Amino acid sequence: MTDKEKKASEKIGLFGNVDSPSLFSAMEKVIDSGLILLDRNFHCLFINERARSIFELTPGKKLTDEKEMSLLGPLLKEFQVGDEDLFEKELRINLRWAENEKTVKTLSTPIIGADGKLGYIVCLWDLTSTKEKERLQSEFVGHVSHEMRTPLTVMREFTSILLDGLGGKLNSRQEEYLGIIHNNIERLDRIVTTLLDISRLEAGKVKLVCEIANVMRLMKHVVYMLTPHAEKKMVKLTCKSLRHLPPARIDVDKITQVLINLVANALKYTPAGGTIDVSAKNVNNALAVSVSDTGMGIPLEDQKRVFDKFFQIGLKPGPGAKGVGLGLAITKQIVVMHGGKIWIDSIPGKGSTFTFTVPCVKKIADLPSYIDECIDFTKISGKHFTLMRICISNIKKLEKTGTKKEVIGTMKKIIGNELRKATDSDPILIKDSLFVGLPGTNRKQANALKERLISVFSFKVPVALRLGLADYPEDAGTSEEIIKHAISDSKREVRIG
Ligand code: ADP
């Protein structure tokens, strides 16, 4: 036996002489949280005084009796203790016996024995009063920012009028000073809008309107929008186009805001000559989207706090390029609302990678069920949904000459390049036709896309196509009728190649 092993076995011997009650009461003295010990079926084996007081149970008992067990049982299941090494969760619990509701944070870990999982240790903190304080603060901030909007709008309008010379001719100094006022009103307006955004998110006033979207297309759109800023800063901004990413179920506007926040931050904190990459990959049932930069990085001790409200690293007082420290707090709220997670990997001086996950859609079973989903969304959003059908009339001939696969591949590629919205579906091949779903697009807009496609299609062999459209709710009301309408609408044949 080595010295190290000897010492370890002596330690085990020491603990072997300690009985469980005295071990627990010693632990109780030093632990500042509620503590419960669960077996693998979520039965409570031990509960400390702090946890008893969080659950408003009679103080002074060390182990729960039958009655308390039956009260606690359903609650403990709600903890849904994960099998990860450390699993953190925040949840609202209803204490029926005390007619009270509480917000608690739990941190748990499985206990693994020689025969597998024995149970769990769960630490608990009562966040009820902290949450209530936060709610009041956020309500106050929301109220004040809302009230500030009207005077700000008036100030902006009138400075614009003065700058346009409508209040009389300005000398160059007056123009310069008014310009400064105008820029600062705009800045204040951005801050007020951000404050309103966070207070509405925290108050649960923001509802997600989720639809099936192609996150890759969304990423490309954001990169395209911010490329002029990147060029100005001499930073290389790229988007890694991974193929075969499943579609995700997201609120497109909100996830666009998340991506803009992350890329805009990366641009703020990356010096000239650096690079920023936006990429995505499929992890289990989620899409993980990453924004990596080669910027200044974030010190380890600050990494946990960057998602807190108003947190800014090394903020110097006074005006500057920095924001208010709310961008990442808003970003996190939106990601969590989607059921996702967000985290950072960063090496100070080398760069940072922010990664967030969003749920992806398990394979769409068939065209009618996809259309049904789109109709449901269209009903909520009050927009249109258009189905495009592109039928290859001479498909049999192409099959005979062995060129069918190549023609379909070319069509898919060209269609993919022409689709603009993240919610446009990838082409779905059914028999002799490709179907494309266009949520949020009406017949007129889809017709423009149809004409554009006809003008850009180009093949090595002659291909005869018939393109048809069906608009919900204008042309049809159910998925079956929409497919029928798109088929009957595609009468005119165009010959290409
Ligand atoms: P701000 O409006 O100040 O940018 P955020 O909430 O967006 O607020 O970010 C909080 C803080 O996190 C920033 O002040 C900055 O110090 C740090 N930070 C955010 N993104 C990055 C990044 N890509 N690289 C380095 N630091 C970052």
Side-chain angles (χ1 to χ4, degrees):
M1 201 184 266
T2 64
D3 275 358
K4 218 171 166 190
E5 282 167 342
K6 242 188 217 163
K7 269 193 187 150
S9 76
E10 276 165 17
K11 274 188 193 158
I12 294 164
L14 178 70
F15 280 113
N17 294 332
V18 181
D19 57 10
S20 314
S22 51
L23 180 63
F24 283 129
S25 71
M27 276 162 59
E28 173 113 34
K29 283 187 192 136
V30 288
I31 292 176
D32 73 339
S33 66
L35 180 76
I36 50 180
L37 191 62
L38 305 175
D39 70 10
R40 68 171 81 117
N41 298 317
F42 296 100
H43 292 128
C44 184
L45 302 175
F46 170 79
I47 179 164
N48 75 348
E49 271 313 302
R50 278 201 177 81
R52 295 192 74 85
S53 105
I54 292 173
F55 290 128
E56 301 193 22
L57 297 171
T58 330
K61 297 186 197 169
K62 280 288 165 249
L63 283 167
T64 44
D65 59 27
E66 281 294 308
K67 193 170 153 241
E68 285 185 349
M69 283 268 206
S70 69
L71 291 177
L72 276 182
L75 264 189
L76 299 178
K77 285 209 176 89
E78 262 192 68
F79 291 172
Q80 274 176 11
V81 186
D83 282 337
E84 292 149 46
D85 223 16
L86 269 182
F87 186 82
E88 196 177 310
K89 196 172 175 185
E90 199 179 292
L91 73 163
R92 189 108 186 117
I93 52 172
N94 183 358
L95 309 176
R96 280 176 297 107
W97 54 94
E99 290 182 5
N100 199 357
E101 278 203 3
K102 285 193 171 178
T103 307
V104 292
K105 184 177 104 171
T106 63
L107 186 65
S108 58
T109 186
I111 308 164
I112 311 290
D115 303 329
K117 197 189 306 155
L118 300 174
Y120 305 91
I121 290 189
V122 186
C123 284
L124 289 157
W125 291 267
D126 186 351
L127 300 185
T128 317
S129 63
T130 319
K131 287 278 155 191
E132 181 57 14
K133 265 188 221 146
E134 279 178 9
R135 191 188 67 75
L136 289 172
Q137 261 175 12
S138 155
E139 209 175 83
F140 173 73
V141 170
H143 198 69
V144 172
S145 8
H146 185 73
E147 290 302 314
M148 280 169 81
R149 291 210 98 171
T150 319
L152 263 176
T153 312
V154 176
M155 281 156 75
R156 190 176 41 204
E157 285 306 310
F158 277 87
T159 42
S160 293
I161 288 173
L162 287 177
L163 277 169
D164 289 344
L166 297 175
K169 196 165 165 33
L170 301 173
N171 64 35
S172 61
R173 187 169 286 186
Q174 287 167 335
E175 201 168 325
E176 185 197 335
Y177 293 169
L178 260 179
I180 296 173
I181 296 175
H182 193 257
N183 285 346
N184 278 281
I185 291 175
E186 300 250 296
R187 183 159 175 250
L188 191 55
D189 190 46
R190 279 198 300 276
I191 295 175
V192 167
T193 307
T194 319
L195 285 170
L196 255 180
D197 279 353
I198 190 85
S199 65
R200 291 187 65 236
L201 277 165
E202 284 181 335
K205 284 188 188 152
V206 178
K207 295 276 171 280
L208 294 184
V209 186
C210 288
E211 48 189 325
I212 302 169
N214 180 327
V215 172
M216 198 63 231
R217 224 174 276 144
L218 194 70
M219 286 155 50
K220 280 187 183 164
H221 176 65
V222 170
V223 166
Y224 174 76
M225 272 198 302
L226 294 176
T227 294
H229 291 266
E231 281 171 355
K232 225 190 227 168
K233 277 210 71 182
M234 292 193 288
V235 168
K236 197 169 152 211
L237 175 59
T238 61
C239 184
K240 281 213 189 81
S241 168
L242 296 183
R243 301 184 81 206
H244 308 305
L245 274 186
R249 197 178 306 281
I250 54 170
D251 182 317
V252 174
D253 288 344
K254 301 279 179 313
I255 294 298
T256 305
Q257 191 183 349
V258 164
L259 276 168
I260 291 178
N261 282 355
L262 295 179
V263 178
N265 268 353
L267 277 168
K268 252 195 250 178
Y269 303 106
T270 303
T275 52
I276 299 169
D277 288 321
V278 184
S279 62
K281 62 179 177 193
N282 192 358
V283 201
N284 302 325
N285 284 327
L287 278 188
V289 182
S290 297
V291 177
S292 298
D293 64 57
T294 56
M296 57 198 271
I298 299 171
L300 194 62
E301 65 272 21
D302 292 328
Q303 289 182 14
K304 262 207 158 160
R305 296 181 56 204
V306 285
F307 295 106
D308 290 353
K309 278 190 288 179
F310 304 111
F311 183 76
Q312 293 179 298
I313 301 163
L315 176 71
K316 292 185 188 75
K322 291 210 169 195
V324 237
L326 283 175
L328 287 177
I330 291 177
T331 298
K332 184 174 175 179
Q333 285 270 355
I334 296 175
V335 170
V336 170
M337 277 173 83
H338 277 84
K341 285 183 183 173
I342 183 161
W343 66 92
I344 324 170
D345 294 297
S346 181
I347 303 175
K350 288 235 153 89
S352 316
T353 299
F354 284 80
T355 305
F356 68 91
T357 57
V358 283
C360 55
V361 182
K362 284 175 219 121
K363 225 170 149 38
I364 298 164
D366 51 29
L367 187 60
S369 59
Y370 163 72
I371 298 174
D372 282 340
E373 285 216 31
C374 292
I375 290 179
D376 285 347
F377 170 74
T378 310
K379 279 182 188 155
I380 304 169
S381 66
K383 294 183 189 162
H384 285 247
F385 165 78
T386 302
L387 180 71
M388 181 184 285
R389 175 200 183 221
I390 309 172
C391 167
I392 309 162
S393 330
N394 60 340
I395 200 152
K396 291 234 164 75
K397 209 167 170 192
L398 297 177
E399 225 160 30
K400 268 191 208 146
T401 53
T403 50
K404 178 183 149 188
K405 213 171 153 196
E406 193 190 325
V407 166
I408 289 171
T410 311
M411 281 175 78
K412 280 190 174 174
K413 204 168 161 203
I414 295 174
I415 295 169
N417 286 341
E418 290 303 314
L419 295 177
R420 301 274 186 265
K421 286 193 193 155
T423 45
D424 295 340
S425 83
D426 283 331
I428 305 158
L429 179 69
I430 302 175
K431 291 183 188 158
D432 59 355
S433 301
L434 284 173
F435 288 88
V436 184
L438 306 167
T441 299
N442 61 25
R443 173 175 261 281
K444 201 171 155 212
Q445 295 157 330
N447 208 41
L449 170 67
K450 182 177 124 180
E451 294 305 324
R452 204 166 66 234
L453 282 174
I454 293 173
S455 70
V456 294
F457 274 143
S458 134
F459 307 102
K460 289 185 192 141
V461 290
V463 177
L465 299 175
R466 280 187 285 128
L467 285 82
L469 302 171
D471 172 315
Y472 173 90
E474 225 159 74
D475 299 324
T478 65
S479 52
E480 205 178 309
E481 286 167 13
I482 287 172
I483 297 172
K484 267 194 194 152
H485 191 99
I487 293 173
S488 65
D489 190 59
S490 26
K491 290 212 175 82
R492 182 168 70 98
E493 191 170 85
V494 275
R495 290 177 175 274
I496 296 163

